[in-house]
Amino acid sequence: MEFVLSELCDQVMTAHAGHKPVFITGGGSKAFYGNHRPLRPQDGHCLLDVSAYHGIVNYQPSELVVTARAGTPLKDLEAALAERGQMLAFEPPHYGRGATVGGCVATGLSGPRRMAAGAVRDFVLGARLLDAQGRVLGFGGEVMKNVAGYDVSRLLAGSQGIFGAILEVSLKVVPRPMEESTLCLEADEAQALAWFARWRGEPMPISATAWLPVPGLPGQLWVRLSGAPPAIASARARIGGETVDAGRAADHWASLREQTHPFFDRGHGLWRLALPPATPPLGLGPTLIEWGGGQRWLCAGANGDAAALRAAARARGGHATLFRPARQEDVPADGVFHPLEPGVAQLTRRLKQEFDPLGLFNPGRLILEL
């Protein structure tokens, strides 16, 4: 692996000397996400493929910590954890067989369990980063002290690779639940949100929720319970509904995590709204709700009015992202992500200047001007 790392460093140093952009790639399963466009010969780009830099570096099941190189297939890491009865708590989506650990952290995407467990950044303990000068920097964990008071390793989660190429990450892992059970109830959107609000105030082991429209019905509310059998039995009695067969339940949650459910029809643009969970129904078109009301997917050709969607999200204390456009021409002029608040934008620019002053890595991927 040292030879692979040396090659990656040489590629970056060559790009730095020629002031050429560096586009980071791995398994390619999340290439659609962010301000993405196909690369062209005239870009004069350097495609930095980290997929060859793979493997689990260190795994301490008793300490609930694993360290893996960025090119490690996500499925391989999850399989190794499963052998010891452990898992990644944030239930990351793969979106394809090629998904890697580096892509998982760089995109910062979490699955259905995020509402109970936390986001990707909450489980990043440390990282190694290849910067614009070809240097390997370490942050967090037992490596080197973070600079400028920032927990850089966690800031890499969701950074889309604009600060440098993630080479290695250390992640906190958790034990798999003793038992899981999924319930399905009939409810319309307003009723589902009201139940979410009530359940938030009760000590129940809810690890995932989802409400989705169903033809011919007001809608379906799915609830997953995870934990000790007595706690699950008690919650099941209080929530009610139909207990779903384990195989069918697993398929359902996987279809939401991997966006293979029919709601996520690739023929439509897909918006992701992050909102306070108590936000009432938006009335903006067909909606799928996750995370107890905190994440809402809109799949209704709404991409033509990005300003209206963003204004609606901002008015309710949230933000809106064009997660997947139906067509490239549907992408807003200022990019797919909700414009950053001034303070966050300033911090992002300072970090970009610190790690990549020439603006080589993934230009425009997160913020168009960076």
Side-chain angles (χ1 to χ4, degrees), residues 30-37 107 109 158 160 269-274 297 302-303 305-307 309-310 313-314 319-340 364-369:
K30 301 175 183 69
F32 68 90
Y33 182 57
N35 296 310
H36 171 72
R37 62 167 174 77
T107 56
L109 299 175
Q160 294 281 349
L270 181 66
W271 280 87
R272 174 182 178 265
L273 274 64
W297 300 98
N303 21 0
D305 199 359
L309 273 173
R310 288 171 173 172
R314 186 183 298 111
H319 56 84
T321 296
L322 179 53
F323 192 81
R324 188 184 62 243
R327 305 171 302 171
Q328 190 61 32
E329 52 264 38
D330 294 326
V331 175
D334 55 354
V336 302
F337 295 110
H338 197 109
L340 297 177
R365 188 67 184 264
L366 182 66
I367 304 173
L368 290 180
E369 62 266 27

Side-chain angles (χ1 to χ4, degrees), residues 131-221:
D131 78 352
Q133 299 181 53
R135 301 175 302 181
V136 177
L137 307 178
F139 303 99
E142 299 178 354
V143 197
M144 62 178 279
K145 186 176 180 180
N146 286 316
V147 297
Y150 299 122
D151 189 346
V152 176
S153 57
R154 294 193 177 190
L155 289 174
L156 296 178
S159 68
Q160 294 281 349
I162 69 167
F163 302 133
I166 298 173
L167 294 174
E168 188 177 289
V169 290
S170 295
L171 298 167
K172 178 183 178 182
V173 301
V174 298
R176 298 184 69 84
M178 294 176 61
E179 183 179 302
E180 288 195 322
S181 179
T182 293
L183 305 173
C184 183
L185 302 83
E186 185 175 310
D188 60 23
E189 185 176 359
Q191 180 64 68
L193 290 169
W195 280 340
F196 291 156
R198 190 182 76 191
W199 296 338
R200 281 194 294 275
E202 300 182 13
M204 293 193 290
I206 297 176
S207 63
T209 61
W211 178 86
L212 56 155
V214 177
L217 295 175
Q220 280 186 342
L221 171 57

Side-chain angles (χ1 to χ4, degrees), residues 32 50 64 86 112 179 186 209 261 270 308 318 350 353:
F32 68 90
V50 300
L64 298 176
Q86 297 178 348
E179 183 179 302
E186 185 175 310
T209 61
H261 189 280
L270 181 66
R350 286 177 59 187
Q353 180 63 30

Side-chain angles (χ1 to χ4, degrees), residues 52-366:
Y53 194 63
H54 57 79
I56 295 175
V57 178
N58 188 28
Y59 178 29
Q60 299 292 333
S62 62
E63 300 297 325
L64 298 176
V65 175
V66 64
T67 299
R69 298 186 181 96
T72 306
L74 197 51
K75 60 181 178 60
D76 290 356
L77 175 60
E78 290 179 330
L81 297 178
E83 288 180 0
R84 304 303 294 268
Q86 297 178 348
M87 66 180 187
L88 296 173
F90 48 90
E91 204 170 4
H94 292 220
Y95 299 146
R97 295 182 59 82
T100 62
V101 172
C104 164
V105 174
T107 56
L109 299 175
S110 303
R113 207 178 298 270
R114 186 250 187 266
M115 65 165 288
V120 178
R121 68 174 59 87
D122 299 321
F123 294 88
V124 177
L125 300 176
R128 295 177 74 206
L129 184 75
L130 177 59
D131 78 352
Q133 299 181 53
R135 301 175 302 181
V136 177
L137 307 178
F139 303 99
E142 299 178 354
V143 197
M144 62 178 279
K145 186 176 180 180
N146 286 316
V147 297
Y150 299 122
D151 189 346
V152 176
S153 57
R154 294 193 177 190
L155 289 174
L156 296 178
S159 68
Q160 294 281 349
I162 69 167
F163 302 133
I166 298 173
L167 294 174
E168 188 177 289
V169 290
S170 295
L171 298 167
K172 178 183 178 182
V173 301
V174 298
R176 298 184 69 84
M178 294 176 61
E179 183 179 302
E180 288 195 322
S181 179
T182 293
L183 305 173
C184 183
L185 302 83
E186 185 175 310
D188 60 23
E189 185 176 359
Q191 180 64 68
L193 290 169
W195 280 340
F196 291 156
R198 190 182 76 191
W199 296 338
R200 281 194 294 275
E202 300 182 13
M204 293 193 290
I206 297 176
S207 63
T209 61
W211 178 86
L212 56 155
V214 177
L217 295 175
Q220 280 186 342
L221 171 57
W222 292 67
V223 185
R224 185 175 63 193
L225 305 169
S226 304
I232 289 179
S234 175
R236 197 161 46 210
R238 294 162 71 181
I239 292 173
E242 170 198 355
T243 300
V244 182
D245 170 80
R248 180 180 166 221
D251 290 344
H252 175 77
W253 295 114
S255 75
L256 297 184
R257 186 186 69 238
E258 303 301 330
Q259 296 190 351
T260 57
H261 189 280
F263 179 88
F264 300 102
D265 182 354
R266 294 299 194 271
H268 299 286
L270 181 66
W271 280 87
R272 174 182 178 265
L273 274 64
L275 300 166
T279 303
L282 301 174
L284 296 174
T287 303
L288 190 152
I289 303 175
E290 292 189 278
W291 302 355
Q295 176 166 261
R296 309 197 190 182
W297 300 98
L298 299 182
C299 189
N303 21 0
D305 199 359
L309 273 173
R310 288 171 173 172
R314 186 183 298 111
R316 293 163 175 82
H319 56 84
T321 296
L322 179 53
F323 192 81
R324 188 184 62 243
R327 305 171 302 171
Q328 190 61 32
E329 52 264 38
D330 294 326
V331 175
D334 55 354
V336 302
F337 295 110
H338 197 109
L340 297 177
E341 295 298 324
V344 178
Q346 182 180 10
L347 172 60
T348 304
R349 292 188 180 94
R350 286 177 59 187
L351 289 169
K352 180 70 170 176
Q353 180 63 30
E354 180 74 25
F355 293 112
D356 185 16
L358 296 180
L360 302 183
F361 285 107
N362 284 2
R365 188 67 184 264
L366 182 66

